[in-house]
Amino acid sequence: MDFSKPTASEASMELGPGFKFKPTEEEIVMRYLRPRAVNEPLPSAFIIDVDILSRNPWDLVPEGSVEKYFFCQRVQRWTHGNRYNRAAGDGHWRASGKDVPIFSNIINGGIPLMVGLKKTLVFYLGKAGAGENTEWVMQEYSLVQAGLTPYPVIGPNGTNNLGEHSLDAVAITKKKDNLSEALCNATTSVPEVVPVMINPDDSWVVCHIYKKKKRAPRAIAQRYNLADGGQVRFFNFLGQGNSDGTSSSGSRAEHTNREGKG
């Protein structure tokens, strides 16, 4: 698999203290995945290209890191079909739950359009159809529908511009007596930069890999002492009664004295 951008073994962008890479799902699809699918410059180098299928998830996320984002190209299981190879490292990725649609209003002037899908997968050790469940999760973002519409990419207009440009360079060397005129002609013949519409490559995805946090064990329910007539005991924080819910001897005496005075 050919990756033209930095891989996991190469230097990646490190964020300064106090900053976290927390893009929204729309930003992942529109600001990173879509430009990557046409090989356009990205907002940052934080997401790098990695072959997800060649490694275990714990090898991709460094120790001490909570999560990582990667670009990867999906590999179809068969030549004709829409199923992809999920075998990876010592196990495989298995889909979990329903796919979640991602919408954006960037393409069509404020009207929300479906541009991507988020698929959640869990890593299992062992072969597909069996294996042991792990705590490693991957959210896979892919382009669909409006996200696959042609994307404007800056490119030179025409195919002979480089040839014409080289001829102007030769003219500069020959016209030493009138160098300024040759430079002027060369400047005017520089190819015009215009956007070219390119269809995004739908094999590119963004993979958000992280380890599930272990859930704290449920607190054991408190057992009430039902010896006193099956009543739930409580504590009187004002100190004006005992713990079984009945009045204290002091409060009873006070109540009796009030009745006698009356």
Side-chain angles (χ1 to χ4, degrees):
M1 188 175 297
D2 181 23
F3 290 104
S4 58
K5 291 185 179 292
T7 60
S9 60
E10 301 178 14
S12 60
M13 178 181 178
E14 296 294 338
L15 299 179
F19 290 90
K20 291 184 178 181
F21 185 72
K22 287 293 183 182
T24 64
E25 294 179 345
E26 180 185 4
E27 289 171 342
I28 291 175
V29 172
M30 299 302 296
R31 304 300 185 188
Y32 286 90
L33 179 55
R34 201 155 183 257
R36 182 66 189 96
V38 294
N39 203 27
E40 269 283 279
L42 303 172
S44 73
F46 190 85
I47 304 180
I48 59 176
D49 294 355
V50 171
D51 183 7
I52 298 295
L53 301 182
S54 65
R55 309 186 188 185
N56 293 313
W58 51 85
D59 296 327
L60 294 169
V61 181
E63 186 176 354
S65 299
V66 178
E67 59 188 357
K68 277 289 186 179
Y69 291 83
F70 303 101
F71 288 119
C72 185
Q73 282 186 290
R74 294 180 296 187
V75 179
Q76 288 185 340
R77 186 176 299 180
W78 298 287
T79 304
H80 301 287
N82 57 358
R83 301 193 68 179
Y84 299 95
N85 183 18
R86 296 298 184 186
D90 298 323
H92 64 280
W93 292 99
R94 186 183 300 179
S96 174
K98 297 181 179 180
D99 294 350
V100 178
I102 300 171
F103 296 88
S104 174
N105 56 12
I106 296 177
I107 296 178
N108 198 24
I111 300 177
L113 296 175
M114 185 175 173
V115 294
L117 278 180
K118 181 180 72 172
K119 179 186 292 291
T120 300
L121 303 102
V122 177
F123 189 75
Y124 282 73
L125 284 172
K127 296 182 179 180
E132 179 185 354
N133 186 8
T134 71
E135 297 178 338
W136 289 95
V137 179
M138 177 171 68
Q139 293 175 333
E140 182 186 82
Y141 296 87
S142 59
L143 295 170
V144 297
Q145 295 187 12
L148 292 172
T149 55
Y151 187 89
V153 177
I154 301 300
N157 183 17
T159 58
N160 297 323
N161 289 325
L162 293 179
E164 295 174 358
H165 200 60
S166 60
L167 291 177
D168 290 329
V170 174
I172 293 177
T173 58
K174 288 184 177 180
K175 294 184 179 181
K176 293 181 180 180
D177 56 338
N178 194 2
L179 185 60
S180 60
E181 181 181 353
L183 288 173
C184 181
N185 293 335
T187 304
T188 56
S189 63
V190 171
E192 180 184 0
V193 177
V194 295
V196 177
M197 304 302 289
I198 297 180
N199 290 319
D201 182 356
D202 64 352
S203 67
W204 281 103
V205 292
V206 170
C207 299
H208 174 208
I209 298 179
Y210 61 95
K211 189 176 183 180
K212 286 189 296 185
K213 295 181 180 179
K214 294 183 178 180
R215 294 182 178 179
R218 292 183 178 180
I220 300 176
Q222 182 180 0
R223 295 182 178 179
Y224 295 102
N225 185 1
L226 302 181
D228 298 334
Q231 295 183 353
V232 177
R233 299 173 65 86
F234 73 96
F235 182 80
N236 190 336
F237 292 95
L238 299 179
Q240 296 180 353
N242 57 20
S243 58
D244 61 3
T246 59
S247 301
S248 64
S249 58
S251 60
R252 285 179 177 176
E254 183 181 352
H255 182 68
T256 305
N257 292 336
R258 287 181 180 176
E259 289 183 347
K261 291 180 181 180

